[in-house]
Amino acid sequence: AEKALRLGIMEQGRYADLMFNAILVCCVPFIAPAYMCLTFGALIFSHIYIYLFDHVRTLRSCTRYHFSSNVCNLQGQKIFAIPCGLLAAGLVFKWNQMKGDPHKLGSGPLQGQQLWNALAGAFFGHILFHIILLDCIVPVFSSVEKTAEEKPYAECAKIKPATWFSTNPVHCLRSKYIYKHEPPQTFLVIGKEHLAQKNEAIGAYFEQEAAEVEDFRQNSIT
């Protein structure tokens, strides 16, 4: 019951849906351009709402939100090459229509296979340029220097309760029932870090006092 009522962990599955929405919207120039401004406006409004919602949720309603690297961010930027490539192909498609007879649909200078080749060239050409820009050009202007962490394990384990040992339930059971450690390795439960028992001999360095329990029966408003 306590686990069911506690705050959840921030998940990023919805952002794949947002990217899919962007890809679908970028197909509008090929189908119904009359609703382009309305569709893009709705997309921008909904994404701003989700951004603000997740901003508040991350600060107020999540137990943790951790990124060990920028891999997700970089892959998201690369995937965004697809809607941008569709927009590039859409520009070629609309340019071809505008060059033709305004009273006759499909009368542009590019016809048949030539039009398809131009659309494919714009689409894949932009994706190639997008990937090269992110992998080769952007890192040149990056000023972040990556240095290896030089702190020993013991110092890090004193301030971080989550280690390979404390997050491995099998190891915790082995520590208690097979190796008979005293005290055994405590399994980490978010929100109950103060229950961890220190035993430097088995690599358990974290120790913390329990937080003061708030008494909701007292009226704190003066």
Side-chain angles (χ1 to χ4, degrees):
E2 183 179 351
K3 185 177 181 180
L5 292 174
R6 74 182 185 184
L7 299 176
I9 301 173
M10 187 65 181
E11 54 87 20
Q12 304 176 68
R14 76 172 70 200
Y15 295 107
D17 297 331
L18 299 184
M19 185 62 68
F20 185 68
N21 291 341
I23 293 175
L24 290 179
V25 168
C26 290
C27 295
V28 172
F30 300 98
I31 304 173
Y35 299 97
M36 188 181 303
C37 293
L38 182 61
T39 305
F40 273 90
L43 177 76
I44 294 173
F45 174 78
S46 61
H47 283 201
I48 290 177
Y49 172 79
I50 293 175
Y51 171 80
L52 296 177
F53 177 82
D54 285 345
H55 182 77
V56 175
R57 183 185 176 192
T58 301
L59 296 178
R60 305 297 182 186
S61 303
C62 288
T63 56
R64 51 182 170 165
Y65 199 149
H66 175 70
F67 293 98
S68 59
S69 67
N70 66 336
V71 172
C72 291
N73 181 52
L74 183 59
Q75 293 301 320
Q77 294 180 20
K78 290 182 178 180
I79 295 175
F80 212 77
I82 297 176
C84 292
L86 288 173
L87 286 179
L91 289 175
V92 174
F93 182 76
K94 299 305 295 182
W95 170 86
N96 185 63
Q97 285 188 330
M98 294 175 65
K99 289 295 183 179
D101 187 355
H103 301 289
K104 185 179 180 181
L105 185 63
S107 60
L110 300 178
Q111 298 291 329
Q113 190 62 39
Q114 290 183 339
L115 179 59
W116 285 107
N117 292 339
L119 296 179
F123 177 73
F124 291 106
H126 174 79
I127 290 181
L128 181 62
F129 172 76
H130 199 114
I131 300 299
I132 293 176
L133 185 67
L134 291 175
D135 286 342
C136 302
I137 306 301
V138 173
V140 175
F141 300 94
S142 177
S143 59
V144 179
E145 296 182 0
K146 297 182 179 180
T147 57
E149 182 62 59
E150 298 181 355
K151 289 184 178 180
Y153 170 81
E155 292 186 17
C156 296
K158 287 181 180 180
I159 59 176
K160 293 184 178 297
T163 65
W164 184 90
F165 303 104
S166 63
T167 57
N168 189 332
V170 176
H171 175 77
C172 295
L173 292 173
R174 187 189 300 120
S175 173
K176 181 176 182 179
Y177 296 106
I178 297 180
Y179 297 133
K180 307 294 184 180
H181 293 147
E182 288 296 337
Q185 175 66 59
T186 307
F187 182 69
L188 174 64
V189 177
I190 301 300
K192 296 184 179 295
E193 292 86 352
H194 61 280
L195 297 179
Q197 296 177 299
K198 184 177 181 181
N199 187 349
E200 296 184 0
I202 62 174
Y205 294 91
F206 184 81
E207 190 176 36
Q208 186 182 61
E209 295 182 359
E212 183 179 354
V213 179
E214 185 177 357
D215 189 358
F216 295 97
R217 295 173 299 178
Q218 298 180 0
N219 189 1
S220 59
I221 300 177
T222 58

